[in-house]
Amino acid sequence: MGRWIKRLSITGLLTLFVLSALARIVSAGLGAMPEGTEADPLEEVLLCPPSDEVATLLGQIAGRDEELRGRETALAMREQDLEIARQEIESSLERLGEAESRLAARMEMSATASNDDINRLVAVYEGMKPKDAAVLFEAMEPTFASGFLARMRPDAASALFSNLSPEKAYALSVMMAGRNANAATE
């Protein structure tokens, strides 16, 4: 809006100067013409050079007008560049959202598959003879073994516990009891 006001002001000022010059020329020309002759005011304007002051102002106005046109062109180009950048950013954000959705789906599928695998393995351990399963659990790290025992049915876990060495049974009991000791209660 501001640039249009400036342009309007410059254009209005230029128009006033031209009209002022025309008025001077016409009034000077009408007084000097003999009676009965008609003068062409346009011809007199073209023949009569403007004063130095008016010529300087007209030159300054023309220069300012050219400068404003250059700024408008630069601004239009910047606006075009910004629009292109905005479109590229929106496109990138859309692609990023799609990639995030695909990643979330893969993570969900991976978590589900991992959980399914563990549940299947727990079912295998529950189906084994407690004495055979105890041999495997004796060889496992307590943190690893306690994860399986926590998921097992209580009757299958108790049968397995009864076949473990006292040290291993104690270590697994401590791990299972301490699993949620630091969990928030509220």
Side-chain angles (χ1 to χ4, degrees):
M1 176 100 180
R3 67 175 181 235
W4 294 109
I5 291 173
K6 286 180 184 177
R7 178 169 266 181
L8 183 61
S9 298
I10 292 171
T11 306
L13 188 58
L14 181 60
T15 304
L16 287 175
F17 281 128
V18 170
L19 288 176
S20 174
L22 281 173
R24 285 184 190 173
I25 293 170
V26 168
S27 67
L30 290 178
M33 290 188 63
E35 285 185 35
T37 55
E38 289 186 30
D40 184 8
L42 183 59
E43 185 177 299
E44 287 189 27
V45 169
L46 294 175
L47 295 177
C48 192
S51 69
D52 290 340
E53 202 176 288
V54 172
T56 303
L57 285 174
L58 288 175
Q60 289 174 347
I61 290 171
R64 181 71 177 154
D65 192 44
E66 188 62 35
E67 181 184 329
L68 288 174
R69 282 192 194 124
R71 285 183 181 179
E72 283 180 1
T73 302
L75 183 61
M77 291 181 77
R78 276 191 232 137
E79 286 176 354
Q80 186 179 12
D81 290 344
L82 285 174
E83 179 62 24
I84 290 170
R86 185 191 61 76
Q87 289 173 355
E88 288 176 0
I89 289 170
E90 285 177 358
S91 175
S92 294
L93 286 173
E94 187 177 315
R95 287 192 310 269
L96 182 63
E98 291 169 0
E100 186 178 2
S101 296
R102 287 192 307 270
L103 179 62
R106 285 183 186 157
M107 288 177 64
E108 177 67 27
M109 184 173 44
S110 176
T112 302
S114 175
N115 203 21
D116 289 347
D117 291 345
I118 290 172
N119 287 337
R120 213 171 292 121
L121 196 52
V122 166
V124 168
Y125 289 141
E126 287 176 338
M128 292 175 68
K129 292 181 182 175
K131 195 175 212 172
D132 295 336
V135 172
L136 294 174
F137 276 77
E138 287 284 343
M140 290 182 197
E141 288 290 320
T143 54
F144 186 69
S146 66
F148 289 114
L149 282 167
R151 289 178 176 228
M152 291 176 79
R153 290 186 327 268
D155 63 320
S158 65
L160 186 109
F161 260 107
S162 66
N163 285 292
L164 291 174
S165 68
E167 296 82 25
K168 191 66 168 194
Y170 174 76
L172 291 174
S173 296
V174 168
M175 292 299 298
M176 290 175 67
R179 259 184 199 281
N180 297 317
N182 295 329
T185 56
E186 291 182 20

